[in-house]
Structure formats: structure tokens, C-alpha cells
Amino acid sequence: SDGSIRLHQMTSEYPLMQWNDSTNGQPIIALQWALTRPAVFFVLDASSNIYIWDLLENDLLPVAKETIPPENVVTMALLGEPEKTNGLLGIALARESGQIDIHYVKKKWAVP
């Protein structure tokens, strides 16, 4: 609820990494790992911002932030086929009105 993200290993109750205030205090609505690139994850906050984290490129801050206007996004889901190396990765965004948007991710964050 405060925008903090914690990365845990299944064998420990303590986080390996913790990023406080990663969304400038906005609550996190959804977080998902990329299906095609293990070091990348996506975060959706309550202000309809999507943050892209690539831990191989930068493990302190997100590598990109995208604001989705004009209507609030209520959830997201990642689309892709992990067994294929074509680098095709998409994000499905659901808006308050019920509209669904599909966005494709740049290959640099999708290719294994």
C-alpha cells in the first residue's frame, strides 16, 4: 500500500532486496514477472503508471516508467510464450470502463 517492493527467496522470511517508495508512495495494484525474461518485472500503481524493472540493467531503480492516460487502469496481465525466443511480450491493461488495451513491450525487455 506504500509503494514498497520486496524480493524474497522462498527459503527465508527476510527479503533479498527491498525498494522503499518505489512508486512515489502510490499503492501497487499489480506486479508481474516477464514471461520471457527472468530478470524483468512490471509494476502497476494506483495512478496508472507502469514501471519496468530490469534487474540486470539496474537493481536500484526502474529502467522505464509509462503513464497510461486518460482513464484509470485497474489491473494488468502479461502475455507471452516463455518457450519461444522471438521476444514477443505484451501487457493487457483493464480500465475502469471495462475496456482492455494490449501493448507490446520493447524487445530489449522481452528477449531472453
Side-chain angles (χ1 to χ4, degrees), residues 37-110:
R37 187 174 170 98
V40 174
F41 64 92
F42 298 80
V43 175
L44 171 66
D45 75 11
S47 294
S48 297
N49 295 304
I50 295 177
Y51 302 83
I52 302 171
W53 290 76
D54 184 345
L55 299 178
L56 295 178
E57 187 176 326
N58 187 342
D59 64 357
L60 298 176
L61 299 167
V63 294
K65 175 185 171 186
E66 187 71 33
T67 301
I68 309 295
E71 183 188 345
N72 282 347
V73 175
V74 294
T75 193
M76 72 173 180
L78 294 178
L79 313 166
E81 298 178 271
E83 64 278 356
K84 292 190 177 178
T85 58
N86 61 6
L88 194 59
L89 180 65
I91 303 176
L93 303 172
R95 298 181 179 271
E96 280 182 330
S97 66
Q99 178 182 344
I100 304 290
D101 296 346
I102 306 290
H103 297 266
Y104 288 99
V105 175
K106 289 182 180 179
K107 284 194 182 255
K108 72 178 184 175
W109 296 312

Side-chain angles (χ1 to χ4, degrees), residues 11-53:
T11 58
S12 174
E13 65 182 281
Y14 302 104
L16 294 173
M17 295 282 295
Q18 181 169 327
W19 300 275
N20 294 321
D21 200 32
S22 65
T23 58
N24 296 319
Q26 289 296 315
I28 294 172
I29 303 298
L31 186 150
Q32 283 199 288
W33 286 99
L35 301 171
T36 57
R37 187 174 170 98
V40 174
F41 64 92
F42 298 80
V43 175
L44 171 66
D45 75 11
S47 294
S48 297
N49 295 304
I50 295 177
Y51 302 83
I52 302 171
W53 290 76

